[in-house]
Amino acid sequence: MPKIGMEPLRRRALIDATISTVGARGTLNVTVSEIAGRAGVSSALAHHYFGPKEVLLQATMRQLLSDLGRDAVVALKNATTARERLSAIIAVNFNAAQFREETVHAWLAFYVEAQNSPPLRRLLRVYARRQHSNLMSALVPLSGRTEARRMAEAIAAMIDGLYIRRALRDGLPNPASVASLVEDYVDAKLRQQANSS
């Protein structure tokens, strides 16, 4: 008889093990047995909770998105100005939990697999829309709608690019150093706009 209350803990353990396994391998080409072994449960139990591997991968992607969303809400709670909101959005993408090596590798593997997986592509579109909306909300009061769109695209591209460099071990491992690169771009653009007004 299963212990009461264990299901959520085991589901989360399997999701964490998926991130860890995918991160270590740098690909979604992992087996449920590998994931289950890392989680300390049987393959049968993993299958019981999630069914096929694709469902576990989707649940893992949803958890990454949920964790990022939760972190963003917390970061934005204390931001009172548009500029502070923008800094909070940038910082949350590079916080210690999000910018861990295995998490970065998992994100990159999901990006690659999304080219062939409509469910994962839909989840990445949710992420991109949410990020764009958050950036636009902070940028429009600072720079106007047209320039905000351009800056939001550039900031999103920088975030993605810095994740890729981190995954390739060519990027800065320190989250604060990476966030400061994006902040430098924002400051330069805002100064440029102020000087041209």
Side-chain angles (χ1 to χ4, degrees):
M1 182 173 207
K3 292 180 184 173
I4 294 176
M6 287 303 292
E7 181 174 350
L9 297 174
R10 286 186 174 145
R11 289 175 74 83
R12 183 59 199 236
L14 283 160
I15 286 171
D16 290 344
T18 302
I19 294 168
S20 179
T21 306
V22 168
R25 295 276 298 276
T27 178
L28 297 184
N29 190 20
V30 297
T31 67
V32 173
S33 283
E34 289 175 90
I35 294 167
R38 202 174 277 245
V41 300
S42 69
S43 297
L45 192 62
H47 185 75
H48 170 73
Y49 286 133
F50 290 101
K53 181 176 86 168
E54 292 72 29
V55 175
L56 175 56
L57 294 175
Q58 290 168 32
T60 301
M61 184 74 220
R62 275 192 220 89
Q63 188 64 54
L64 287 170
L65 288 169
S66 176
D67 292 346
L68 181 60
R70 182 201 62 237
D71 290 352
V73 167
V74 170
L76 289 167
K77 194 177 284 186
N78 296 322
T80 57
T81 67
R83 185 64 182 91
E84 287 174 357
R85 285 195 306 275
L86 185 56
S87 289
I89 294 162
I90 292 166
V92 82
N93 279 281
F94 299 113
N95 72 25
Q98 295 298 326
F99 212 57
R100 285 180 310 147
E101 189 170 348
E102 64 187 19
T103 304
V104 169
H105 282 282
W107 272 103
L108 190 58
F110 281 116
Y111 264 86
V112 171
E113 187 63 26
Q115 296 175 69
N116 302 310
S117 169
L120 291 180
R121 190 175 317 124
R122 278 192 296 276
L123 289 171
L124 284 175
R125 283 186 183 138
V126 167
Y127 157 73
R129 281 194 302 267
R130 185 184 301 155
Q131 183 183 62
H132 182 76
S133 175
N134 285 338
L135 289 169
M136 288 295 288
S137 172
L139 285 164
V140 168
L142 296 171
S143 63
R145 186 160 298 281
T146 302
E147 190 56 33
R149 273 194 203 96
R150 291 170 47 85
M151 287 182 70
E153 283 298 318
I155 291 167
M158 289 180 76
I159 290 168
D160 289 347
L162 289 164
Y163 265 71
I164 290 168
R165 290 190 63 193
R166 177 73 173 118
L168 297 174
R169 294 179 180 85
D170 290 337
L172 296 168
N174 182 313
S177 299
V178 176
S180 72
L181 292 174
V182 183
E183 289 284 356
D184 289 348
Y185 162 78
V186 169
D187 289 340
K189 288 298 286 183
L190 293 176
R191 272 195 308 274
Q192 181 184 28
Q193 290 171 32
N195 292 336
S196 65
S197 297

